[in-house]
Amino acid sequence: MLTVRNLELHYGGIAALRGISIDVQKGETVLLVGANGAGKSSLINAVIGLVASSQGVMSFNGKDITRASCDARARAGIGYSPEGRRVFPTMSVRDNVLSGACRRGAVLQRDAWQWLCGIFPLLSERSEHPAGQLSGGQQQVVAIARAMASSPKLLLLDEPFLGLAPVWIARISEAIRHMQSRGTTILMTEQMARPALKLATRGYVVRGGEIRRSGSIEEIREVALAEEYL
Ligand SMILES: Nc1ncnc2c1ncn2[C@@H]1O[C@H](COP(=O)(O)OP(=O)(O)O)[C@@H](O)[C@H]1O
Ligand SMILES: [Mg+2]
């Protein structure tokens, strides 16, 4: 579904990604694990088109997206939940979530809202609250629900657990499992390897802008856990 080949990314003169190649097949949950500064967000942001790569090729469902706009990638079916639970703080919870489905008609938006409230009761409980007033875990739910509202084919989750209490990690994990059961393909990043290893089918260990290890969860588990303490 997603193929990245020899991706290079620079900020000014500094290389953040060097020769990155990854694959995500339909139905998989692939984990990018690595310490802070490893290059995980840079890779996710390159896939959604927020930052331009200086070299390399990316394709999605067989189409070259290397130079496609963010908007074109979203229309092609790539959904994105950014690191640091970025919600629109003064907008209501409902409007935050529905902003993720703004290209869909009113009926589809209503369906998406009802479906998401069924998964996350807090959305209906807090629907008219400004999202900025919610707790960190609640904001993460809003950010993920917004990404899910467009029913993406590929969902990018950048550090969904970062800074969250265990109870919220458990709830977000449940939501990720729910999407897996719907057949959503997921590419997620985490520095907190432990809960993420329970969700993914395959993974890549990233360090210093390079892939250091790849394989099944069993194959990368030890290296991934060691990376947590760097
Ligand atoms: N906007 C930016 N400008 C300059 N350097 C950046 C920027 N974003 C990230 N970097 C640098 O790129 C490297 C990778 O960062 P990042 O992709 O955010 O890593 P991670 O998400 O794994 O923590 C780090 O050295 C970071 O300091
Ligand atoms: Mg990051």
Side-chain angles (χ1 to χ4, degrees):
M1 179 175 252
L2 175 74
T3 307
V4 174
R5 286 291 170 271
N6 295 316
L7 195 75
E8 309 263 331
L9 193 149
H10 293 82
Y11 297 108
I14 299 161
L17 297 178
R18 282 176 282 198
I20 295 266
S21 295
I22 65 164
D23 290 283
V24 182
Q25 311 288 345
K26 194 168 187 289
E28 280 191 307
T29 296
V30 173
L31 171 65
L32 300 170
V33 64
N36 193 24
K40 304 180 298 298
S41 295
S42 299
L43 180 48
I44 292 288
N45 292 344
V47 171
I48 190 62
L50 284 171
V51 291
S53 50
S54 41
Q55 256 188 65
V57 187
M58 285 181 279
S59 71
F60 181 62
N61 283 333
K63 288 200 183 115
D64 189 329
I65 56 161
T66 314
R67 297 282 161 246
S69 66
C70 256
D71 191 54
R73 295 182 204 210
R75 271 185 276 119
I78 304 180
Y80 166 62
S81 169
E83 181 187 286
R85 12 178 209 285
R86 259 168 248 139
V87 295
F88 302 111
T90 57
M91 265 166 63
S92 72
V93 165
R94 187 169 196 277
D95 288 346
N96 261 279
V97 172
L98 291 183
S99 72
C102 56
R103 281 187 209 85
R104 309 174 95 195
V107 174
L108 282 177
Q109 283 199 14
R110 203 186 52 217
D111 287 353
W113 173 250
Q114 278 170 358
W115 164 63
L116 288 163
C117 285
I119 306 171
F120 306 112
L122 109 86
L123 295 179
S124 48
E125 288 159 24
R126 298 295 168 91
S127 68
E128 301 310 318
H129 267 68
Q133 289 180 8
L134 304 180
S135 74
Q138 291 170 330
Q139 288 188 24
Q140 184 62 277
V141 166
V142 172
I144 291 181
R146 181 176 61 198
M148 289 166 68
S150 62
S151 289
K153 298 188 181 89
L154 172 67
L155 180 61
L156 308 174
L157 299 174
D158 196 0
E159 304 236 33
F161 301 140
L162 188 68
L164 297 187
V167 57
W168 283 105
I169 292 179
R171 281 189 204 163
I172 303 287
S173 297
E174 227 175 88
I176 293 173
R177 286 204 184 87
H178 185 94
M179 284 182 289
Q180 291 172 328
S181 70
R182 279 172 55 99
T184 309
T185 307
I186 300 173
L187 175 62
M188 66 184 286
T189 77
E190 257 312 327
Q191 30 181 317
M192 295 186 58
R194 234 164 264 274
L197 288 168
K198 289 185 191 151
L199 295 165
T201 41
R202 215 158 52 72
Y204 297 88
V205 178
V206 188
R207 193 195 302 161
E210 293 176 323
I211 305 284
R212 295 304 171 103
R213 192 71 165 258
S214 67
S216 70
I217 289 305
E218 281 319 309
E219 287 165 338
I220 66 158
R221 181 183 304 276
E222 254 177 70
V223 184
L225 288 172
E227 217 60 21
E228 242 185 3
Y229 301 103
L230 284 183

